[in-house]
Each structure stands twice: as C-alpha cells, then as structure tokens.
C-alpha cells in the first residue's frame, strides 16, 4: 500500500500541480509579499496549460484558477485582497466538489479515473473481476467531496483573516490535504480489495 501512496504523492504531476505552486507561493510571500505571491502562482497556473498540455483537464482547471487569481490581483483593491483570495479559495473548493459529484453521477468518479491512469492494472482488475468495485470508488469519491466541502465551509466561516493566516490556510489546505486524501483513498481501496479477495476465497472453499 505504501509504495502506491508514494508513487501517487511523489509523481511528477503531483509535484507540478500541488507541491511546486505551494513552494512558490510561500517563497514569494516571504520575500516580496502577498500580492506578488498571488501573481507568481497565477502566472505559474497559466504556464502550466501552455507547457503541460498532456495534463488535459487538470491543466485547464489549474490555468483557470491562475487566471482568476491574476484578475483578483489586478483589479481588487489592496485593502480587500485577502478577503478576495479567501473567497476565491472557498469557491474553488466548492467547484471542485461539484465536479467530483458530476463525474460520480455519470459513474466516472475522478479518484478512480486518476488511479487507473497511474496504475493501469487497477482498471483491468475492476473490469475483469469487479475488484475494486465501482461502489468502492464512489465511497472514495464521497470522501473527497466531503473534504472539499468542509474546506469551503471553513474558509467562508473565518472572520478577518490576516495575510499570514491566509498563507497558512493556503499551504495547510493544499499539499497536506491532498496527501491525506490520497492516503485515505488508498487505504479504503486496499481494504476493500482484501475483503473481496477473502470473501471470494471463502465462497470457493
């Protein structure tokens, strides 16, 4: 299980879309301020679409997020920049949860699609043996949806956020949350796989 988690967390795509933006955001904030941090990560998001087209919809979503942040930095008055970025983060989490729900409705849960791209054997196992089942992937998808909804509610509920608090929220609710969700997802799928195998073995005996 741990080698699967490591492969997902340490993959090139995870590094480029989750970890590197967090590092850039933190360094830019520390040395040149919040406005520059927003601009730097926004431009990075737009460049991702240009140079990493193989990421498909992930790159497009990342670029759209970058465009929104760049618009905020360009037109939102400095005195309400923090509130605007917090709102953008909250709405981004809400839209992510909505996308997960839509894909789930069409029986294409995003965690399943991503996992089967990373580990093609999972798709073959699901199609040939029904393990892990679609129901299992739907449960995993539900965990992601619930987490993003909680993130959105939390951000919308906080009052008078300072710049340093905003940076802390952005970092804590970015890469660490992503890693945590991957760990939970792999555990759920792995546990379901073991239970299904044991049940099949018991039926044969």
């Amino acid at each position: 299980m741990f080698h699967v988690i490591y492969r997902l967390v340490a993959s090139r795509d995870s590094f480029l879309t989750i970890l590197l933006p967090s590092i850039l955001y933190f360094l830019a904030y520390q040395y040149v301020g919040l406005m520059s941090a927003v601009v730097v990560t926004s431009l990075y998001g737009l460049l991702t679409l240009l140079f990493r087209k193989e990421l498909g919809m992930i790159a497009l979503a990342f670029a759209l997020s970058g465009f929104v942040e760049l618009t905020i930095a360009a037109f939102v008055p400095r005195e309400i920049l923090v509130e605007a970025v917090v709102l953008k983060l909250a709405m981004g989490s809400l839209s992510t949860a909505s996308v997960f729900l839509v894909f789930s409705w069409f029986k294409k849960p995003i965690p399943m699609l991503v996992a089967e791209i990373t580990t093609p054997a999972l798709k073959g196992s699901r199609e040939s043996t029904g393990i892990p089942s679609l129901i299992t992937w739907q449960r995993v998808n539900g965990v992601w949806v619930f987490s993003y909804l909680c993130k959105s509610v939390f951000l919308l509920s906080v009052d008078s956020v300072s710049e340093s608090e905003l940076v802390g929220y952005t970092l804590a609710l970015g890469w660490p949350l992503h890693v945590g969700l991957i760990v939970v997802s792999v555990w759920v799928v792995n546990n379901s796989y073991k239970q299904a195998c044991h049940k099949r073995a018991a039926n044969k005996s």
Side-chain angles (χ1 to χ4, degrees), residues 67-103:
F67 177 77
V68 172
E69 287 196 354
L70 197 60
T71 302
I72 290 174
F75 297 105
V76 172
R78 183 69 175 80
E79 57 270 17
I80 61 170
L81 176 62
V82 172
E83 289 77 7
V85 173
V86 169
L87 181 60
K88 179 265 173 188
L89 291 174
M91 292 299 100
S93 296
L94 185 60
S95 64
T96 299
S98 300
V99 170
F100 272 65
L101 283 173
V102 170
F103 274 73

Side-chain angles (χ1 to χ4, degrees), residues 121-122 125-126 129-133 136 186-200:
L122 284 173
S125 176
R126 177 176 61 83
T129 67
I131 305 173
S133 66
T136 297
V186 173
W187 180 84
V188 170
V189 172
N190 187 62
N191 190 53
S192 174
Y193 184 84
K194 288 181 178 179
Q195 289 179 355
C197 289
H198 290 159
K199 184 176 180 180
R200 179 166 295 184

Side-chain angles (χ1 to χ4, degrees), residues 16-18 21 44-46 48 57-67:
L16 290 175
T17 59
I18 305 294
Y44 177 82
L46 294 172
T48 299
M57 291 303 296
I58 296 177
L60 180 60
F62 203 53
L64 180 60
S65 176
F67 177 77

